[in-house]
Amino acid sequence: MPDTLVPRAAAAAVPAHRDANVLRWVAAYAASMVGDTVFFLALSWAAVQNGSPAEAGVVTAVSAVPRALLMLGGGVVADRLGPRKVVIGSDAVRCVTVLAVAAVLFATDPGLWLLALLAVVFGTVDAVFMPAVGALPARITAKDQLARVQGMRGLAARFAAVVGAPLGGLGVAVGGAATAFAFAGLLIAVSVPLLVSVRIRELPPDDATATPAARDTTAWRDLVAGLRHIRRHPVLGPLMVTIALGDLGFVGPLNVGLTLLADERGWGASGMGWVLAGFGTGAGAAALLLTVRGRLPHAGRVAAGAIIPGAAAIGALAHAPGLPVAVGIAVVVGLLTGLSGAMCGALLQTQSDPACLGRVTAVAGIVSLGVAPLSMPLSAAAIGVWGTGPVFAVSAAVCALGGVVALCAPGVRRAELPR
């Protein structure tokens, strides 16, 4: 499938939020993410209906294994073949697979083995899809618009979270897991023609000759070159450490820790939902700010500086005197950590060599999806021994340490987004 090229001058002439080409990509991304949300809800429901709670947990978690193991290779594939081709191909595979499973579930009840196989396939394809999604913005808009695209992508992710869960629940209510899987497959299918219509801009000559295909190197050498690019870069290397520490301190409290805190305080599931809604509102506001402004000055300092008060808010969440205060703190957490995350993502996009973006995105994905989830069982076990207050405080300190690392790195401290 040949890429449709658009000259760089044309891509630079229109702001990203008014560029029909970028808007088609954002719409495709949103449809795919809503489909993902519906898919995971349907998978969880089907697993619970067909097995014990422990078996259901294994089925829902098994997709993370191939995703974590293969994502570095997925970054190499995205950079070698081109992110547009990889995103289209992986979305098509996901669509066909999910619709095929929906058809089987309509016809019979195959048990947990089919659900586990589906989760493995989905995780394997995600290992290629996610780096390609991260590499694609640099091919569809100018460098000075990448921060705005990062904000638009954040808004699409928030939209998917808000819309996907009710839609998945509706599918389950109407026709069970099979109908929900069918919804997911159709939503992913919507993204394919939109992606086909997206035009790819030409890379600058230096970047074009640096692509793996142009250099005719092996996949292993490409992988090593990508890791070396990150390690030696004055901004990318420290940013990866910052992202790792920030997510490690954030994921535990805002997932399993919040559940245990809501139970301890008697807020119940609805109260936990309100706190999560507050977090989502703050994170959405941060994405909207970046979408509207397109550029914030002192990007590196903002990314680092927002982490530290955001971390303090995480620690304060465990001491909220009531649910309304907890929701307010959650809004602050979402706003500050969302702003920091959006700026880190924008810096990764603008500081990376476009020919290496798939591999850079893959490393960032492994840091977030591979390292950070380790904090969830650790947080749960620690809360059982010491309670929520001390564990939230330690998590906040780990998160704040990420901001300290960024502030101590001269490259990050001086980093700016392109004008």
Side-chain angles (χ1 to χ4, degrees), residues 53-376:
E55 291 171 332
V58 170
V59 169
T60 54
V62 72
S63 64
V65 177
R67 188 186 300 121
L69 293 178
L70 302 176
M71 193 174 293
L72 276 177
V76 173
V77 171
D79 286 335
R80 289 181 72 88
L81 300 182
R84 178 175 176 268
K85 296 175 183 176
V86 174
V87 170
I88 292 172
S90 57
D91 251 4
V93 170
R94 297 195 308 166
C95 172
V96 170
T97 303
V98 174
L99 289 177
V101 170
V104 171
L105 289 176
F106 275 122
T108 185
D109 184 9
L112 285 173
W113 70 267
L114 179 64
L115 300 176
L117 178 61
L118 174 62
V120 170
V121 171
F122 218 80
T124 301
V125 177
D126 266 357
V128 181
F129 173 80
M130 296 176 70
V133 165
L136 197 52
R139 308 292 185 96
I140 62 175
T141 192
K143 203 165 190 176
D144 63 349
Q145 295 297 312
L146 286 175
R148 178 172 274 126
V149 172
Q150 189 70 17
M152 296 166 71
R153 183 179 173 185
L155 288 176
R158 293 297 151 201
F159 172 81
V162 170
V163 173
L167 190 58
L170 176 63
V172 169
V174 170
T179 300
F181 278 129
F183 279 1
L186 292 174
L187 284 163
I188 296 172
V190 168
S191 71
V192 176
L194 288 169
L195 289 168
V196 170
S197 69
V198 170
R199 297 170 298 162
I200 302 299
R201 77 183 185 96
E202 297 174 346
L203 285 178
D206 290 345
D207 293 328
T209 56
T211 59
R215 290 185 283 105
D216 193 26
T217 62
T218 65
W220 175 253
R221 288 178 180 174
D222 292 337
L223 175 58
V224 172
L227 295 175
R228 188 182 298 119
H229 173 61
I230 295 170
R231 181 173 58 85
R232 294 179 176 177
H233 198 283
V235 176
L236 298 181
L239 265 186
M240 291 298 180
V241 178
T242 297
I243 292 170
L245 290 170
D247 284 351
L248 196 62
F250 174 81
V251 169
L254 265 295
N255 286 275
V256 63
L258 181 58
T259 304
L260 296 174
L261 180 64
D263 181 66
E264 176 186 291
R265 297 296 182 84
W267 297 339
S270 63
M272 184 179 70
W274 278 108
V275 175
L276 288 174
F279 163 72
T281 300
L288 181 62
L289 173 65
L290 198 55
T291 300
V292 173
R293 290 291 302 272
R295 181 186 183 275
L296 295 178
H298 312 297
R301 294 177 186 173
V302 171
I307 295 177
I308 297 174
I314 290 174
L317 191 60
H319 303 284
L323 181 58
V325 176
V327 173
I329 293 174
V331 172
V332 174
V333 171
L335 179 63
L336 293 173
T337 58
L339 179 61
S340 175
M343 297 303 287
C344 285
L347 287 171
L348 289 180
Q349 287 281 325
T350 55
Q351 294 287 327
S352 299
D353 182 340
C356 295
L357 257 175
R359 284 160 285 179
V360 171
T361 303
V363 173
I366 289 174
V367 165
S368 294
L369 300 175
V371 176
L374 297 176
S375 65
M376 288 192 283

